[in-house]
Amino acid sequence: MPSSISLMLLPLFTVLLSSASLSAAALYHSIDDEFYQCVNLHTDLSIPSSGAFHTPDNASFASVLESTAMNLRCLAPSRPKPELIFTPLTESHVQAAVICAKELNILLRVRSGGHDYEGVSYTSATKSPFMMIDLAKLRSINISMEENSAWVQVGATIGEVYYRISQKSRTRGFPAGLCTSLGIGGHITGGAYGPMMRKYGLGADNVVDARIVDATGRILDRASMGEDLFWAIRGGGGGSFGILLAWKLKLVPVPATVTVFTVPRTLEQGATKLLYRWQQVADTLDEDLFIRVLISAANSTGQKGKKTIQTAYQALFLGRADRLLKVMKKGFPELGLTQKDCLEMSWIESVLYIAGYPGTIKPEFLLQGKPLSDKTYFKAKSDFAKEPIPEYAMEGIWKMFLQEDSPFSIWNAYGGMMGKISESATPFPHRKGRKFMIQWLTSWQSGDKKTTNKHIGWIRKLYDSVAPYVSKFPREAYVNYRDLDLGVDKFNGKTSYLKASVWGSQYFKDNFKRLVQVKTKVDPDNFFSHEQSIPTLHSFSEGDEKKMIN
Ligand SMILES: Cc1cc2nc3c(=O)[nH]c(=O)nc-3n(C[C@H](O)[C@H](O)[C@H](O)COP(=O)(O)OP(=O)(O)OC[C@H]3O[C@@H](n4cnc5c(N)ncnc54)[C@H](O)[C@@H]3O)c2cc1C
Ligand SMILES: *[C@@H]1O[C@H](CO)[C@@H](O)[C@H](O)[C@H]1NC(C)=O
Ligand SMILES: *[C@@H]1O[C@H](CO)[C@@H](O)[C@H](O)[C@H]1NC(C)=O
Ligand SMILES: *[C@@H]1O[C@H](CO)[C@@H](O)[C@H](O)[C@H]1NC(C)=O
C-alpha cells in the first residue's frame, strides 16, 4: 500500500488497533517520508542533507529530544515520544512544516527552550502519534540602539538575549525571567516575570511586535495579525495560536551599577516572624527593589541530625548600595541589612548572580544557552497571595516541608508596576491586589513510579493544605508554571466549556473568554493544540456554546 494512503488512514488504525500491535517502524516511515517530501516541495532548500529530520531510528534522535527538555519526569519511558523531530533552519521551513502537518493530519508539538513544566512541548499525555518542531536553530538576535529594541528569534535563550543587550550598552536591559536557559519563544507566551517586574512589568508587557506562522502557514506581524491575536500571544500560553518565529522587545533602562544581596535566616533565627513581616511590606517597597524569598529544608547548624527551614532573602536593587540601605531602613529594617551584605555590579553580572551562578562564571557563558545545574524530575504548582499567610499557617507548611526530601518554594514580591497594569491589558490577569506570587516545587532523582507518586502526592497534599491562605474563586495559577492537575483538554474530542474554564479561569480569569474567541477566529480547526491549549468554541457542545455567548 502506498505510504500516502497508510498515512491518511493513520487515525483510523490507531483507533482499531492498539498502538503496540502496529508496526512501529512502518508508522515512523510513513510520517517521515510523506512529511519530508512535502516540506521539500514547499521550500527551495534541500532539507534532507541538512540533518534537520530525526526519527527514532536515527542515532541523533535521543540527544536532540533530550537536549533542552528540562523535566526528566516528562522524558520517562512511559511518555509517548515524537515519531519525528524536525528542526527548521529558516522561517520558510516553519511555514512548510505547518502546511504539511496540516495537509497530512499530523499532530504537532512546538518547542523553543524546552522548559515547559509538563513537557507539552516535546511529549504528549495521550497515545496519539505526534511530531515535534524544535526551534532551537532559529536563535538570531538583532539589537537596534536607535530604536531601543531587539528582534529575537524564538530559539534564543533569555540569557543570550540579556548578554547581547549588555554588549551594546551597560545601561539597557530587559525585564524577563531569572533562569537564563529559558527559551524566549515559550517564556513570553505565558507572561515572563523576573526581578525587574516591580519596575517594568512582565516580559510580555514589553513586547512591541512579533512574527508568527498561523494555521494556514502565513507569516504575520503585529500589523497583519491584528490587535486581538497580538493580545492573545502575550500571556495566553504557548502552543495555541500559531508558531512564534520572533519577538520584538522594547529595551528598558538599567543603572550602570545595581546592587544585589542574599540574606539567609533559619527557624532558629526567627525566620517565621521575619517572613510574616516581609509579606506585609514586600509589595509596598520602592519599585527599584525586588526581593524574593527562597524557602527550603536544611540541616540545622545547632543540633546534629536535625532539619530546619531555611529562608533566603534575595534581591536586585536598581541603584547603588547606599540608597538601598536607606530604602531598607525605612521599609524593611527587620531584615537588618548591612553594607557588608550588599554587592555592587553591572546589570548583566546581576543576571548571573540571581540565576545562582558562582562568581567565577563570566557573562560569556550565557551564549552557551545551557542550564546551570543538572536536570531533575520535578513537579511544581503556583499560587498568588492577596493577604499575608499567618504565622500558624506557615508553621504548618514548614512541618510538611520537613517531611519531604527536596521541598522548595519561592515567594516573589508584587506591587509597583504589576499593580498598575489592568487585568485585561494582556491575558495575564494576576495584577493589582496580589501581595506576592508563590511557586511550590519538589524534585527528585529517580524515575521509578513509586518515587514519582510519592513526591507528586506530597505536593498535591501541600497544595490542598494551603488553599485557605491564597487567592480564591478562582484560585489563581501562573500558566508558565503549567500544572496538568488543574485540568486537561480532552484530546481529539469534545471538551465541555465548563471543564476547560476551570483551569482557564485559574490561569486567565475573565480573559479566558476572549482567548477562546481569538482562538476560534484564528485556528477554527484547533490545529495548534496540547493538553492545556486554548480550546475553540467548536470543541464545546452546543449547550455550552449558548451558555458562553449569553
Ligand atoms: C528552571 C526554570 C526556571 C524558570 N524561571 C522562570 C522565571 O524566572 N520567570 C518566569 O516567568 N517563568 C519561569 N519559568 C517558566 C517558563 O517561563 C516556562 O516554562 C516557559 O514556557 C518556558 O519557555 P520555553 O520556550 O523554554 O519552553 P517550551 O517547553 O519550549 O515551551 C513552553 C510552551 O510554549 C509553547 N511554545 C514554545 N515555543 C513556541 C513558539 N515558538 N510558538 C508558540 N508556542 C511555543 C510550547 O508548545 C509549550 O506549550 C521557569 C521554568 C524553569 C523550568
Ligand atoms: C536519519 O536516518 C535517515 C535514514 O536512515 C538518514 O537518511 C538521515 O540522514 C538520518 N538523519 C540524521 C540527522 O542522522
Ligand atoms: C537579523 O538580521 C539578519 C540580517 O539582516 C536577518 O537575516 C535575521 O533574520 C534577523 N533576525 C531577526 C530575529 O530579525
Ligand atoms: C544534611 O545532612 C545529611 C546527613 O548528615 C547529608 O547527607 C545531607 O547532604 C545534608 N544536607 C544538606 C542540604 O546539607
Side-chain angles (χ1 to χ4, degrees), residues 48 51-55 57-58 60:
F53 291 90
H54 310 268
T55 59
D57 44 4
N58 281 126
S60 54

Side-chain angles (χ1 to χ4, degrees), residues 17-295:
L17 308 165
S18 83
S19 54
S21 66
L22 269 176
S23 155
L27 204 112
Y28 297 145
H29 283 303
S30 56
I31 286 189
D32 186 21
D33 295 344
E34 292 285 308
F35 181 77
Y36 170 95
Q37 281 165 25
C38 176
V39 167
N40 270 319
L41 203 71
H42 283 88
T43 57
D44 46 4
L45 286 154
S46 170
I47 298 178
S49 59
S50 63
F53 291 90
H54 310 268
T55 59
D57 44 4
N58 281 126
S60 54
F61 183 81
S63 70
V64 175
L65 176 66
E66 290 162 18
S67 59
T68 60
M70 266 308 275
N71 195 345
L72 293 180
R73 178 168 62 87
C74 306
L75 286 172
S78 60
R79 287 285 190 114
K81 305 287 181 290
E83 313 284 314
L84 171 67
I85 301 174
F86 176 44
T87 51
L89 305 172
T90 66
E91 291 192 338
S92 69
H93 292 171
V94 182
Q95 290 181 280
V98 167
I99 291 165
C100 296
K102 196 161 191 183
E103 203 170 293
L104 301 169
N105 199 18
I106 305 172
L107 190 62
L108 274 195
R109 291 295 155 124
V110 182
R111 183 167 84 178
S112 289
H115 281 51
D116 193 280
Y117 273 30
E118 299 279 8
V120 306
S121 52
Y122 53 92
T123 183
S124 160
T126 70
K127 291 282 175 199
S128 319
F130 69 98
M131 67 166 283
M132 175 179 118
I133 298 188
D134 187 345
L135 299 157
K137 294 230 161 85
L138 296 178
R139 58 199 311 151
S140 78
I141 298 173
N142 296 338
I143 297 173
S144 160
M145 290 311 287
E146 300 77 59
E147 277 195 43
N148 199 37
S149 65
W151 266 111
V152 179
Q153 280 187 314
V154 287
T157 60
I158 190 73
E160 288 168 81
V161 176
Y162 294 156
Y163 178 76
R164 293 293 180 202
I165 296 171
S166 75
Q167 290 301 101
K168 293 277 179 179
S169 167
R170 193 179 160 114
T171 56
R172 289 289 181 281
F174 186 71
L178 306 108
C179 162
T180 56
S181 54
L182 298 173
I184 192 95
H187 184 43
I188 303 261
T189 61
Y193 82 87
M196 296 203 287
M197 70 174 176
R198 303 190 67 245
K199 178 86 172 183
Y200 297 117
L202 306 171
D205 299 329
N206 292 277
V207 165
V208 288
D209 205 337
R211 287 167 67 76
I212 188 170
V213 178
D214 76 357
T216 66
R218 287 178 305 174
I219 294 182
L220 305 173
D221 65 4
R222 180 175 184 169
S224 52
M225 79 178 82
E227 287 304 302
D228 268 347
L229 181 53
F230 187 62
W231 173 84
I233 59 177
R234 288 172 298 144
S240 290
F241 300 100
I243 302 186
L244 266 309
L245 295 170
W247 298 106
K248 187 179 184 184
L249 313 176
K250 187 179 76 195
L251 308 185
V252 301
V254 296
T257 302
V258 304
T259 309
V260 297
F261 66 77
T262 305
V263 174
R265 289 282 184 276
T266 60
L267 290 186
E268 294 75 12
Q269 296 166 318
T272 309
K273 268 207 158 41
L274 185 64
L275 189 53
Y276 188 70
R277 183 68 192 148
W278 174 86
Q279 295 186 71
Q280 292 175 312
V281 300
D283 65 320
T284 66
L285 299 174
D286 190 299
E287 288 177 16
D288 286 332
L289 177 58
F290 169 83
I291 307 180
R292 62 172 185 161
V293 189
L294 310 163
I295 305 167

Side-chain angles (χ1 to χ4, degrees), residues 401-446:
F401 264 49
L402 294 175
Q403 291 160 7
E404 176 67 351
D405 299 338
S406 299
F408 193 50
S409 187
I410 306 179
W411 298 11
N412 294 291
Y414 247 63
M417 188 55 125
M418 291 306 289
K420 291 178 195 154
I421 298 173
S422 88
E423 286 199 6
S424 58
T426 71
F428 180 100
H430 323 287
R431 304 281 188 174
K432 201 176 167 185
R434 283 77 179 160
K435 285 190 156 295
F436 55 100
M437 170 187 182
I438 303 174
Q439 169 169 219
W440 311 104
L441 189 135
T442 180
S443 59
W444 59 97
Q445 304 296 338
S446 125

Side-chain angles (χ1 to χ4, degrees), residues 214-478:
D214 76 357
T216 66
R218 287 178 305 174
I219 294 182
L220 305 173
D221 65 4
R222 180 175 184 169
S224 52
M225 79 178 82
E227 287 304 302
D228 268 347
L229 181 53
F230 187 62
W231 173 84
I233 59 177
R234 288 172 298 144
S240 290
F241 300 100
I243 302 186
L244 266 309
L245 295 170
W247 298 106
K248 187 179 184 184
L249 313 176
K250 187 179 76 195
L251 308 185
V252 301
V254 296
T257 302
V258 304
T259 309
V260 297
F261 66 77
T262 305
V263 174
R265 289 282 184 276
T266 60
L267 290 186
E268 294 75 12
Q269 296 166 318
T272 309
K273 268 207 158 41
L274 185 64
L275 189 53
Y276 188 70
R277 183 68 192 148
W278 174 86
Q279 295 186 71
Q280 292 175 312
V281 300
D283 65 320
T284 66
L285 299 174
D286 190 299
E287 288 177 16
D288 286 332
L289 177 58
F290 169 83
I291 307 180
R292 62 172 185 161
V293 189
L294 310 163
I295 305 167
S296 55
N299 288 330
S300 175
T301 45
Q303 274 170 275
K304 232 190 165 158
K306 202 177 164 237
K307 276 168 89 184
T308 184
I309 297 294
Q310 174 82 259
T311 59
Y313 294 77
Q314 191 182 62
L316 169 69
F317 181 65
L318 298 171
R320 303 199 76 121
D322 52 354
R323 187 161 68 89
L324 168 61
L325 287 167
K326 283 184 201 133
V327 167
M328 287 295 287
K329 199 169 166 201
K330 188 166 153 244
F332 189 28
E334 295 82 357
L335 188 65
L337 190 76
T338 66
Q339 181 81 45
K340 236 177 42 250
D341 300 315
C342 301
L343 293 168
E344 291 188 334
M345 54 182 64
S346 66
W347 175 74
I348 192 68
E349 287 164 344
S350 82
V351 164
L352 295 172
Y353 177 90
I354 301 272
Y357 289 86
T360 49
I361 300 277
K362 293 276 164 286
E364 283 67 31
F365 179 83
L366 296 174
L367 292 179
Q368 294 181 22
K370 289 210 182 91
L372 170 65
S373 44
D374 289 344
K375 292 176 189 178
T376 60
Y377 300 79
F378 70 88
K379 173 75 191 169
K381 292 175 175 292
S382 58
D383 266 315
F384 291 84
K386 295 180 165 178
E387 300 293 336
I389 299 176
E391 284 182 39
Y392 68 84
M394 284 193 275
E395 274 154 15
I397 296 171
W398 307 158
K399 255 195 207 118
M400 287 201 67
F401 264 49
L402 294 175
Q403 291 160 7
E404 176 67 351
D405 299 338
S406 299
F408 193 50
S409 187
I410 306 179
W411 298 11
N412 294 291
Y414 247 63
M417 188 55 125
M418 291 306 289
K420 291 178 195 154
I421 298 173
S422 88
E423 286 199 6
S424 58
T426 71
F428 180 100
H430 323 287
R431 304 281 188 174
K432 201 176 167 185
R434 283 77 179 160
K435 285 190 156 295
F436 55 100
M437 170 187 182
I438 303 174
Q439 169 169 219
W440 311 104
L441 189 135
T442 180
S443 59
W444 59 97
Q445 304 296 338
S446 125
D448 67 274
K449 241 199 155 72
K450 203 171 147 223
T451 308
T452 304
N453 289 343
K454 178 180 146 217
H455 296 291
I456 291 187
W458 176 83
I459 201 165
R460 285 179 180 156
K461 207 169 125 203
L462 175 75
Y463 188 70
D464 287 345
S465 76
V466 296
Y469 312 109
V470 293
S471 66
K472 295 181 199 60
F473 315 117
R475 182 170 183 181
E476 294 174 34
Y478 178 33

